[in-house]
Structure formats: structure tokens, C-alpha cells
Amino acid sequence: MYIYDEYDQQIVDQRVAQYRDQTQRFLAGELTEEQFRPLRLQNGLYIQRHAPMLRVAIPYGHVSSRQVRKLAEIARKYDKDYAHFTTRQNIQYNWPALENVPDILAELATVQMHAIQTSGNCIRNTTTDQFAGVAHDEIVDPRPWCEIIRQWSTFHPEFAHLPRKFKIAVNGSVEDRAAVLVHDIGINVVKNAAGEVGFEIYVGGGLGRTPIVGSLIKPWLEPEHLLSYLDAVLRVYNRYGRRDNKYKARIKILVKAMTPEAFGAKVDQEWAFTKNGPMTLTQDEIARNQQYFTAPAYEVFTGDDAEFLRQKLESKGFSRWLERNVFAHKQAGYAAVTLSLKPNGVAPGDASSSQLDAVADLADQYSFGELRVSHQQNLILADVKQSDLLALWEAAKAIGFATPNIGLLTDVICCPGGDFCSLANAKSIPIALAIQDRFDNLDYLHDLGEIDMNMSGCMNACGHHHIGNIGILGVDKNGSEWYQVSLGGRQGKGASLAKVLGPSFAQDEMPDVIEKIINVFVANRNGEESFIDLFDRIGAEPFKAKVYEGKPNRREKADA
Amino acid sequence: MLDQNPQVIIDREVVANRWVRVVANEEGVVSVPSEGAVLLSYQYWLSKQEELTLRAAAGHAVAVCFAPDDEPESLPVAANHFVMIACDFPAFTDGRGFSIGRLLRERHGFTGELRAVGDVFKDTINYLSRSGFTAFDVRSDKDIVDAAKGLDDFTESYQSSVAQPLPLFRRRAVIA
Ligand code: HEM
Ligand code: SF4
């Protein structure tokens, strides 16, 4: 994991002082609400329905047990004893008091954490594959590159006030677990035929109101030019992105208006001036960052652990958990474990302070003291010995983090929605809970196989509903809460956007609607066929027919 | 008429503001006083280049102010033709001026006074100074002495900037 040196620490400490001064001036009336708003947003502080909401950065989802204990302490001291993991690998507090935020930041700074640029129209936390560094299909470890991008994007003097927020994701594996195609900039770290490392640069992807899959504008970028090239992309966006309409301000709109070819050409023109300039990365700097992401002190095993293979056969519950929540590791005798934050009855992604403490202990005991947050809002212990898996499973069960549902229907990705968010059209958490409740039978759930379900409370798409196999979107119909269902979205390398099924449904209809969709799947399924493969084969019609059976034929605009 | 701060921060000092910023009135008419140092919009200057160059030659200084959508690339003269160039920030959240500032310094070689005008206050001037600005026309409703302290909000930074062309990674001692 990256460790701050005195420079990194100084920058974060100076931020705490600056923000304390800003808060004081706001409370003293020297900064107006209008002036303070963008300033506090750049520090992750929203004012929401009930209270401010503070988003703390977890750079590319990596966090140490010591940091997790501090997060738990903050939840206990300044919040209602729990915190919420987000789809961008960050953590949120839903109830801090505005005047306590500088103190919270000071506490975070003692463990090398902060809330810098976790919101606002600036470059946000860079995200990556939660299995970076351990994935069996990894080509290049993306984390040193994420850290290099983190430093470059932190307090960048030119890009603090962009037309709109800006998100970068980096992937280094065969499978794309970082959703690079739906980011403002998506980067694949790849190798060419000669074995040299380089980047593929995609721009203009994004969800929200206008979902678009990103376009490849640079098929091969040499590593040393990464930052000067990013500078060039950001400069073109900062100067020419639309500022007259916030719904048209993301880079995707600019790229679409100019065409990806013309946008790429403009970037190249800009880049010609700065390429080979001072931002050209040095080999020393690349090596300095890489040294923080070397393999931990693994024990050497020649193959699978025999005792573990025996345990696996003995318990159905254990083997089910292994099947869903344990991911193949590139090191023999090790595994990566996902702790599910989606048990029945808890808002997806929520964790209490005592759970956080317990999870920190598990990390110390079983995984070199480190944890990761996935964009599916779960936690990962990335380096667990196979021989420890049974004990870890028991321990995770005891704290409610062992639901064997990763990738299944009840592993719902869900935004905070109307319970917390003032932009919401509808609540999302109660729907997620009702669906989890309806599909509580684990045998049935496992038989259904992988189904991504994503839910957002409005078209801002924080819950990524466009890329769910089943997507649910909260819509407002004459002041009451309705839900629009779409099918067929997928994430990863073949990312595609889901299509709306038809008119929306009332809240109490939703569990039935989902059940009908699942029944159509089950009735038409060939063997072990996955939901999304079946959808591609039979299309939306059979689903529509079932779901709207007996409903009066209403016409309604697709995007309410 | 603009509510202009009588003082301005130049090279970290709070001093009297000698430039009068002239903007169009409600009818769109720009009345340039015959004497004294004036700051005019870049577009106006483009339209009256010849007579304004004469005015400047007669000892009455003329400076231009870039709006966020003005492009330094369109300058018909060298940037150093001017002793002072300003960029307007109609709202501090419109960040185009940061790019314009850097371009004027890094690409057009401007060495004179680069001034930020408009929605300028303590919380923006650290980024501004790193983007090449050396003068700050702080909003008249803010305490300019307190605002100047914002210059030191951060004393270290990662990127290459006008204030520090070498990024931190070229200055940081490499950890063994
Ligand atoms: C509760 C307060 C929240 C507010 C007010 C809020 C607001 C917004 C808005 C306005 C957008 C759309 C921006 C745009 O399209 O330009 C957005 C997008 C997004 N939000 Fe949130 N959000 C909140 C919480 C969250 C949470 C808790 C998560 C994670 C679970 C999240 C994850 C995202 C993501 C991933 C996007 C990006 C979608 C895209 O790529 O366009 N947000 N948010
Ligand atoms: S999708 Fe809408 S309702 Fe949900 S958190 Fe984002 S802005 Fe709020």
C-alpha cells in the first residue's frame, strides 16, 4: 500500500488547516452559502435531506486495518455508529455536523486519509479493479499508475473548477472489473507484443442522464507520457466543455459533439506542446510508486492446500461461500475473499462501527492488515491462505459478512436514494431490501446464477442502473415514487446499456415484477445459461409480455 | 460602474490599484477616459487596436482583460506587447481562466503582470498564483489582507505549474 512521505502528509495537513479556516469563515458569515458550497463540495461535504454527508476518499479502494479502525472511531464519535461504502470505492458518513468536519479531517489526516476532491467539479478519486495485484488474469498491476494519477490530480492548479465532475478508472486485467468504459477517462494498462507496458485511453464514457460508452482515442500511450497526456485531455475539456447547462457539461457531451476523432486530434495538438516537458514521468518516479505495491510476504505453497480441499467437501455452506465469495489468486495456496455487505435486511454497503473494527481484526489476522472496497460496495481481503479460509468464514459469519451472494441477485448495487439524497425521485433502499427479502432462499438464489441488479433513485445513476442486467430507476410521477425497470445492461469489456422495459411500477409492485422477470428467465433457461445470455438470446418481448400481463395498455415516455 | 476594490494584491503586497477597469454600460457603449491606465476587454481592444495602441504610446497605459471564452491563440501581437493582462472570473467556479493564465505564461511567454479580476477571493488565489497570476483584484466585499494569506494555503504541490515548473517527483529525494 502507498505510504505518505513528508510531502504527502504536509499537503493533507495544509488542507485540514485551509478547510478549518473556510468553515470558520462560513460560520462567521464571511463566506456566503453560495461561495462555501463549491468549497465544501471539493472536500466531500454535501448538505443532504437530514444532515450534511461527508464522503471520505479511499484511493482506488485500498485501506489498511489501522485506517479502518479510525473510520470506525469517527462513525462512533461523530456519526450514528455506522458508515456507508459507495460504488466509487469511497466511504460516506450520513450524519456528521458541519462544524465537526474540520476535526474529522484532522483525525483522518493522522492515518493518511482525507476527503479531498471526493465531490465537486474536479478530478475525483481514481478507481480500479478491487482484485488489483492479486487477480489471476492480471496483465499489469494498475495500482502504481493509480497512485501516480492520484498525486497528479490532487490540487491540480488548473483543473479545480471544471465544467463538471471528472472520474478516471484504471484496469490492468483481462476482465475489466473497473468499468473503464463508463468513466470520463478509462485506462487499460496493457502489454504490446514486445512485452512493453502501455496504456489504452478511452474518453467520454459515463452514466447519468445521457449514458454513453467511452471511445478509444489513444490505442497506445507510452507510460512516461501518461501525465502530460492527461493534462492535455483535461485542458481541452476545461476550455471547451459546456458550462451553460449542467446536464450537458460532462466530457462525454463534448466528445460526442466534436466526434471522438476530432476530440482526439485536438488533444494531440495540445499535447504536442507539453509532451516531453517536465511532466514526463521519470523511471525513478515509476519505480518509487511500484515499490509500494509489491507482493506481501507470501508463504510458498506448491498447490492447493489438501486440508482445505477436504473441508470444502464437508460443508455445503462453506463450499457455497467458496463458490460465490472467494476469488482465484495468482499465488498458489492463497485466495481473495469478498465479505458481503449485502445481508438480508441491511442497506447495501452499510457497516456499523463494531463491524468495521471486527473487519480490521480479520484483515490483521488473515490478510496482511489490508482491505479493499469494491465498486459493488463490498469489502475484500485480498491475500488469505487457503488453510485459513474455514476459520475466516466462521469469523465472517459471526459479524454478518458471510452472505454467500456475491454476483447474485441479492448482491444489489444501490444508491442512498430518497432516504438520504435530496436529488432523489424515489427511495431505493427499501426496494433493495424488499427484493432481498423475496429472494431469501439461498438454494434458489444460487441456482439462478449471476445476475447483476443495480438501482438508482434518480437519473444521476449513482447506482449504475444502466449497466445492471436488471436496472431499476426511481422516477417521479405527479409527486409519487415510481420505478422504471430496464433489462440487458452489462459491465466490463463488453459493456452495454440496458433498455427500458416499459411503463414504470409502484413501489409495492416491485418485488412481484422482479419475481416475474426471474420466472421468465427460469422458464426459458437452457441448462446453466446465465440471465444475460438468455436475455441476449430471447430479447425483451417474453419479459414484457409477462410483466405487463393484464395491465391496461398505458403509454408513457420512456425516460420520465 | 464597477464596484472596484481600491486596493489590489501585486507580488504578495497589498497596494493601491492604479488600473481603472472599463466595461460596457447598459447600452453596450464603452467610454474610455482619455487619460490614465485602463483595463479593457480583449474583444474591445481587438476592435480598436490602432487607436488604443496610440493611446498607450502617448503614455496612457492600456491593458486587456480576457473573458473565459477568449483565446490567447488569437492574439494578433506578442503577449509582451502589454505590460498587464487580466483574466476575468465572472464566477470563481468557471475555471477556464486558469488555463488561459497558464497558456499566456507557458506558451505565449508573457512576463508582465498577470491579474485575476472578478470573483476573486482568499480561496481561489492559491490555485491562481500557481497558474501564473501575480496580481489579484480581490472582490470589494472581502478583506484583502486576509485574502492575501490564501497565497500560502499550500506551500507544496505535486504538479508542474507556472510557480514551480518542476513537479514534486522531480524534486523529491528518491526513496531507496
Ligand atoms: C447522497 C448524496 C448524493 C448526491 C447528492 C449525489 C449526486 C450525484 C449527481 C448529481 C450525479 C450525477 C452527476 C452527473 O451526471 O454529472 C451523481 C453521479 C454519481 N454518483 Fe452520486 N450522489 C450522492 C451519493 C452517491 C453515493 C452514495 C454513491 C455511491 C454509492 C454515488 C455514486 C455516484 C456515481 C458512481 C455516479 C456516476 C454516474 C456517472 O458515471 O455519471 N453517489 N451523483
Ligand atoms: S442516483 Fe439520484 S437518488 Fe441516488 S444518490 Fe444519486 S443523486 Fe441521489
Side-chain angles (χ1 to χ4, degrees):
Chain A
M1 205 165 133
Y2 186 75
I3 310 281
Y4 284 8
D5 66 7
E6 76 258 32
Y7 298 107
D8 303 294
Q9 188 67 48
Q10 179 186 339
I11 289 168
V12 168
D13 288 345
Q14 290 189 331
R15 170 51 150 192
V16 175
Q18 182 194 39
Y19 190 72
R20 193 179 291 284
D21 174 62
Q22 288 171 343
T23 304
Q24 275 159 4
R25 280 184 290 131
F26 171 66
L27 293 172
E30 291 164 32
L31 277 173
T32 63
E33 172 53 38
E34 200 194 340
Q35 289 160 347
F36 187 50
R37 204 182 98 89
L39 301 176
R40 65 169 161 72
L41 282 177
Q42 303 238 332
N43 211 32
L45 192 70
Y46 286 87
I47 306 285
Q48 281 308 314
R49 292 236 149 134
H50 310 290
M53 179 199 88
L54 179 67
R55 184 180 296 155
V56 175
I58 300 184
Y60 36 94
H62 270 52
V63 63
S64 70
S65 56
R66 175 163 163 256
Q67 292 173 326
V68 172
R69 288 195 186 90
K70 178 57 84 179
L71 293 171
E73 186 189 329
I74 290 170
R76 209 171 275 128
K77 204 154 139 191
Y78 299 100
D79 205 296
K80 295 191 177 174
D81 221 18
Y82 76 98
H84 174 81
F85 289 96
T86 78
T87 54
R88 300 207 66 259
Q89 303 183 304
N90 290 320
I91 190 165
Q92 268 172 207
Y93 293 105
N94 285 325
W95 310 92
L98 187 141
E99 47 278 19
N100 286 338
V101 172
D103 291 340
I104 298 177
L105 298 180
E107 296 225 21
L108 288 170
T110 65
V111 294
Q112 311 194 343
M113 293 187 88
H114 59 75
I116 295 164
Q117 291 167 213
T118 54
S119 180
N121 296 334
C122 50
I123 307 169
R124 305 287 190 83
N125 186 21
T126 295
T127 51
T128 190
D129 179 1
Q130 65 266 28
F131 296 118
V134 304
H136 57 88
D137 65 339
E138 188 162 273
I139 305 161
V140 180
D141 188 344
R143 295 170 302 169
W145 302 108
C146 290
E147 177 54 32
I148 285 169
I149 294 170
R150 183 194 72 82
Q151 295 181 27
W152 160 80
S153 62
T154 299
F155 300 129
H156 195 298
E158 190 178 341
F159 307 131
H161 298 291
L162 296 169
R164 203 71 182 83
K165 60 167 134 181
F166 203 90
K167 299 173 180 178
I168 301 177
V170 187
N171 168 55
S173 288
V174 176
E175 274 280 327
D176 169 18
R177 284 173 295 268
V180 299
L181 291 179
V182 290
H183 281 78
D184 297 287
I185 293 181
I187 302 176
N188 279 325
V189 196
V190 293
K191 277 189 181 162
N192 65 10
E196 295 156 332
V197 171
F199 306 114
E200 291 172 356
I201 310 283
Y202 290 82
V203 298
L207 299 172
R209 220 170 255 266
T210 319
I212 300 181
V213 172
S215 309
L216 183 64
I217 57 162
K218 186 61 80 191
W220 180 259
L221 179 66
E222 286 94 8
E224 63 271 27
H225 298 307
L226 176 64
L227 299 183
S228 60
Y229 190 77
L230 292 180
D231 268 332
V233 173
L234 265 294
R235 179 171 283 173
V236 171
Y237 172 53
N238 188 43
R239 296 185 68 192
Y240 303 109
R242 283 182 65 173
R243 291 174 185 266
D244 57 327
N245 177 343
K246 80 172 204 170
Y247 299 115
K248 302 215 181 295
R250 294 287 288 265
I251 194 174
K252 60 192 173 190
I253 307 289
L254 178 66
V255 172
K256 200 172 161 204
M258 289 176 74
T259 77
E261 295 69 32
F263 181 85
K266 185 88 186 161
V267 170
D268 279 338
Q269 201 186 335
E270 174 57 43
W271 187 41
F273 289 101
T274 53
K275 191 179 177 184
N276 299 317
M279 287 308 280
T280 309
L281 282 163
T282 59
Q283 286 312 312
D284 280 349
E285 175 63 1
I286 295 170
R288 187 183 80 85
N289 285 285
Q290 280 168 336
Q291 71 175 348
Y292 292 108
F293 301 97
T294 51
Y298 293 125
E299 287 173 43
V300 178
F301 300 104
T302 45
D304 288 334
D305 184 80
E307 177 64 10
F308 157 71
L309 293 177
R310 195 186 57 75
Q311 290 161 348
K312 188 171 163 176
L313 296 176
E314 269 177 11
S315 153
K316 186 172 172 211
F318 182 51
S319 73
R320 181 141 63 193
W321 179 74
L322 292 173
E323 187 193 319
R324 293 313 332 168
N325 298 34
V326 176
F327 183 79
H329 203 288
K330 62 180 174 196
Q331 182 75 17
Y334 280 82
V337 172
T338 302
L339 301 172
S340 169
L341 300 193
K342 319 284 178 66
N344 190 359
V346 177
D350 275 4
S352 70
S353 3
S354 55
Q355 281 176 321
L356 290 173
D357 278 336
V359 134
D361 291 346
L362 292 182
D364 281 342
Q365 200 172 350
Y366 298 111
S367 196
F368 300 94
E370 288 184 20
L371 281 139
R372 290 125 182 254
V373 184
S374 72
H375 74 92
Q376 291 89 347
Q377 302 173 282
N378 293 311
L379 292 176
I380 282 134
L381 296 175
D383 298 291
V384 181
K385 271 192 285 191
Q386 285 180 335
S387 55
D388 283 340
L389 284 170
L390 185 62
L392 172 58
W393 177 57
E394 296 289 354
K397 270 200 297 190
I399 55 170
F401 280 173
T403 313
N405 65 345
I406 301 306
L408 302 183
L409 185 60
T410 58
D411 186 12
V412 183
I413 295 176
C414 176
C415 80
D419 292 298
F420 297 102
C421 173
S422 44
L423 302 177
N425 288 325
K427 294 193 186 65
S428 50
I429 293 170
I431 302 290
L433 297 182
I435 290 165
Q436 286 178 333
D437 205 45
R438 180 67 62 99
F439 293 90
D440 199 24
N441 181 323
L442 277 176
D443 287 324
Y444 184 56
L445 201 59
H446 278 249
D447 289 345
L448 295 177
E450 301 204 350
I451 306 180
D452 290 339
M453 178 142 106
N454 295 55
M455 184 162 9
S456 310
C458 76
M459 63 289 234
N460 287 316
C462 301
H464 299 179
H465 63 275
H466 304 104
I467 52 172
N469 300 161
I470 303 178
I472 302 177
L473 166 66
V475 292
D476 174 90
K477 276 209 308 209
N478 311 321
S480 64
E481 302 185 3
W482 288 70
Y483 298 88
Q484 192 180 68
V485 176
S486 47
L487 296 180
R490 72 173 87 211
Q491 18 191 333
K493 286 250 155 90
S496 63
L497 304 171
K499 297 215 171 47
V500 177
L501 204 53
S504 53
F505 303 96
Q507 177 165 346
D508 56 3
E509 293 178 283
M510 283 307 290
D512 285 340
V513 169
I514 302 301
E515 190 164 345
K516 282 179 191 162
I517 290 171
I518 297 300
N519 288 344
V520 172
F521 163 55
V522 171
N524 290 281
R525 190 180 190 191
N526 288 337
E528 299 276 278
E529 194 176 23
S530 71
F531 181 87
I532 188 71
D533 288 344
L534 173 127
F535 181 84
D536 287 347
R537 182 166 61 79
I538 72 172
E541 280 316 316
F543 293 96
K544 270 189 196 158
K546 186 78 195 166
V547 167
Y548 294 103
E549 198 175 50
K551 282 211 159 213
N553 209 356
R554 298 177 283 146
R555 288 221 133 260
E556 178 184 299
K557 242 181 84 219
D559 195 350
Chain B
M1 201 55 230
L2 275 175
D3 181 14
Q4 207 175 335
N5 198 325
Q7 291 185 306
V8 61
I9 301 167
I10 301 179
D11 296 333
R12 309 181 65 88
E13 302 290 328
V14 176
V15 297
N17 187 3
R18 77 180 181 104
W19 295 91
V20 175
R21 188 173 169 201
V22 180
V23 295
N25 68 10
E26 265 135 49
E27 283 87 54
V29 178
V30 179
S31 345
V32 181
S34 56
E35 301 193 348
V38 289
L39 172 60
L40 304 167
S41 82
Y42 173 60
Q43 292 302 330
Y44 180 79
W45 178 85
L46 279 179
S47 69
K48 294 275 188 317
Q49 241 185 94
E50 274 174 37
E51 64 180 82
L52 289 169
T53 303
L54 287 175
R55 185 187 189 276
H60 303 292
V62 173
V64 289
C65 182
F66 280 81
D69 56 359
D70 287 336
E71 308 213 320
E73 289 86 347
S74 69
L75 269 170
V77 294
N80 282 327
H81 170 87
F82 299 101
V83 290
M84 194 269 263
I85 298 180
C87 291
D88 185 25
F89 290 81
F92 77 94
T93 49
D94 186 335
R96 287 176 284 184
F98 294 92
S99 292
I100 297 174
R102 284 193 79 168
L103 287 169
L104 285 168
R105 290 287 194 217
E106 294 173 343
R107 198 156 304 162
H108 297 272
F110 182 57
T111 53
E113 176 186 321
L114 186 59
R115 177 181 291 207
V117 304
D119 194 11
V120 176
F121 54 104
K122 185 176 188 178
D123 306 283
T124 69
I125 69 178
N126 190 278
Y127 283 134
L128 286 169
S129 76
R130 293 174 56 210
S131 298
F133 292 85
T134 47
F136 309 94
D137 189 355
V138 174
R139 289 172 62 110
S140 56
D141 59 355
K142 299 283 178 195
D143 176 348
I144 192 168
V145 176
D146 186 49
K149 294 184 191 144
L151 284 167
D152 298 319
D153 275 355
F154 293 96
T155 54
E156 190 48 270
S157 54
Y158 291 112
Q159 308 78 3
S160 166
S161 68
V162 178
Q164 174 49 278
L166 286 186
L168 182 57
F169 66 76
R170 290 183 181 273
R171 292 178 285 119
R172 199 171 217 162
V174 177
I175 300 167

